[in-house]
Structure formats: structure tokens, C-alpha cells
Amino acid sequence: KQEVTQIPAALSVPEGENLVLNCSFTDSAIYNLQWFRQDPGKGLTSLLLIQSSQREQTSGRLNASLDKSSGRSTLYIAASQPGDSATYLCAVATGNTGKLIFGQGTTLQVKP
Amino acid sequence: NAGVTQTPKFQVLKTGQSMTLQCAQDMNHEYMSWYRQDPGMGLRLIHYSVGAGITDQGEVPNGYNVSRSTTEDFPLRLLSAAPSQTSVYFCASSLRASSYNEQFFGPGTRLTVL
């Protein structure tokens, strides 16, 4: 059974730091991996989608990498800002049914 | 485009009552799904649909019904609400149920069952 883990559960950093969020999964047979952002009381906003054949994707200050063989993905946030404070979720698609398996998330606080 | 919309935003029910959570998308997406989010459990798939007239069960389907009569709408019905169904419900959609397609989520419905 596929399990997705995100460590740490919470992270607090000063503004301007570069930081890395981690996501690991137990079964390397994934179709894709998607990173989301969730603000308190809000829905999920898609940040990046990495196909299983890709190694990384970039969008602005965000860079996500995927290493299927080791079952890991990282989300790199450059020059963090207070507006980046949110919970970051990773999710893997394990089949063509569209079903996503989510991690528990990392709650990030960026202090001014 | 409004994207994925959900109504209501908040709802309080008594045990045994029924209700329908509405979900609509205006992106002509074939694939739609419902998740629930609970503390410590993360997001779990309830039901999904790969197109109008086609639905299937996800991980936690008991107590919920769905139908997909149009491409745009995918309502979730609680037949007889139970306190265990207190949760935040999210609807999602993507162009197709394939590995190439990004999924988009609605703002959620926060449901409390007393």
C-alpha cells in the first residue's frame, strides 16, 4: 500500500532563507507527484506537477525534484517570504484512476 | 473561469439528516472527485468520476452517494449524516484521469454533524 510521508510536520524560518521541504513515498511505481499549498481554512492550490519521467519542475521561486528510485521528492523555496507561510502538501498518483495519495503536510511559518 | 466551485461553505447537520454538497467546474474537465480532510488522516478519496454517467468508489465511500449527469456538476450526497462525517470536503477536477493532468481543488465545505 502506498504511503506518503512529509517531514518535518512544521517548520519556522526567518524571511529570506532558502528552504527545502521533503516528501517520501513507499512505492516507486507512481504516475506523477504534485505539490500543493493550503492556506488556513482554504482549498488546495496546485504549485507544481512532476511526471514520473521527469526529474524536476520549476515555477518562479519554487523548484520541485523527483527521485523515483529512492522514493523522494523535495520542494525548494528560494528567498522565502512571509507570504509563503502555509501548509505544503505532496500527493502521488499511483494509477490512471486519478486517485491521489496525500502526505500529512508541512506547515511553514516564515517570520519577518 | 471560476474554476472549481463548492457550496455551501459551511453546514451544520443533526445526526440522521441528509444533504447534498454541490460541486461545479467550468473548465470542461472530464475527471472530478471528492476528498475529505481530517486531522491526522490527511485527505482521502471518497468517490470519483471519469466522465458524465460514470462514477466509482474511492477509499472511503460508505455513507456517500454521487452521480454525474453533466460534465460540469458532481454533487456528493450524505444519506443519513453521522458525527463521523464531520470533516472538510473538497471537490477536485482535472482534464482527464491521466498522469499528465494537474488536479484543481475547490475551496471546500466545512461540515459539522451533531
Side-chain angles (χ1 to χ4, degrees):
Chain A
K1 180 183 173 186
Q2 177 74 267
E3 292 183 1
V4 180
T5 303
Q6 293 184 249
I7 295 174
L11 184 62
S12 181
V13 300
E15 181 177 5
E17 271 203 9
N18 301 324
L19 56 99
V20 173
L21 306 181
N22 296 298
C23 173
S24 61
F25 45 95
T26 55
D27 187 343
S28 62
I30 66 170
Y31 279 64
N32 65 48
L33 185 144
Q34 198 165 350
W35 282 93
F36 295 90
R37 168 186 172 138
Q38 185 175 28
D39 293 290
K42 303 292 186 183
L44 282 67
T45 300
S46 177
L47 297 174
L48 289 164
L49 171 69
I50 310 177
Q51 304 297 342
S52 62
S53 59
Q54 296 175 323
R55 297 282 294 183
E56 65 178 338
Q57 281 284 350
T58 299
S59 176
R61 294 184 294 109
L62 304 179
N63 176 277
S65 67
L66 175 64
D67 184 343
K68 273 180 48 177
S69 61
S70 67
R72 292 186 178 186
S73 176
T74 60
L75 179 66
Y76 175 83
I77 303 176
S80 59
Q81 304 169 358
D84 294 328
S85 299
T87 296
Y88 291 81
L89 296 159
C90 72
V92 298
T94 56
N96 257 343
T97 63
K99 177 182 178 181
L100 296 177
I101 308 292
F102 281 86
Q104 297 281 348
T106 294
T107 299
L108 172 66
Q109 181 187 33
V110 181
K111 294 180 285 188
Chain B
N1 287 351
V4 180
T5 58
Q6 292 183 238
T7 55
K9 285 186 168 47
F10 301 94
Q11 183 71 49
V12 179
L13 292 177
K14 294 181 180 177
T15 296
Q17 288 184 316
S18 62
M19 79 159 295
T20 299
L21 281 62
Q22 301 292 344
C23 174
Q25 51 86 15
D26 61 357
M27 299 175 282
N28 204 29
H29 283 176
E30 290 185 359
Y31 181 83
M32 297 184 74
S33 58
W34 278 100
Y35 287 83
R36 58 178 289 175
Q37 184 176 35
D38 302 291
M41 302 294 291
L43 283 107
R44 293 176 293 169
L45 181 65
I46 304 172
H47 284 286
Y48 65 95
S49 169
V50 299
I54 306 169
T55 63
D56 208 343
Q57 296 181 349
E59 186 182 355
V60 287
N62 292 343
Y64 307 96
N65 271 2
V66 292
S67 60
R68 184 96 180 269
S69 56
T70 68
T71 300
E72 295 78 19
D73 301 298
F74 191 44
L76 178 72
R77 296 183 189 85
L78 279 70
L79 308 172
S80 177
S84 60
Q85 294 178 305
T86 293
S87 187
V88 182
Y89 291 85
F90 290 103
C91 180
S93 76
S94 67
L95 187 60
R96 289 182 187 83
S98 97
S99 64
Y100 301 107
N101 298 135
E102 191 176 8
Q103 294 205 30
F104 298 92
F105 280 72
T109 294
R110 189 173 297 272
L111 176 67
T112 301
V113 182
L114 303 175

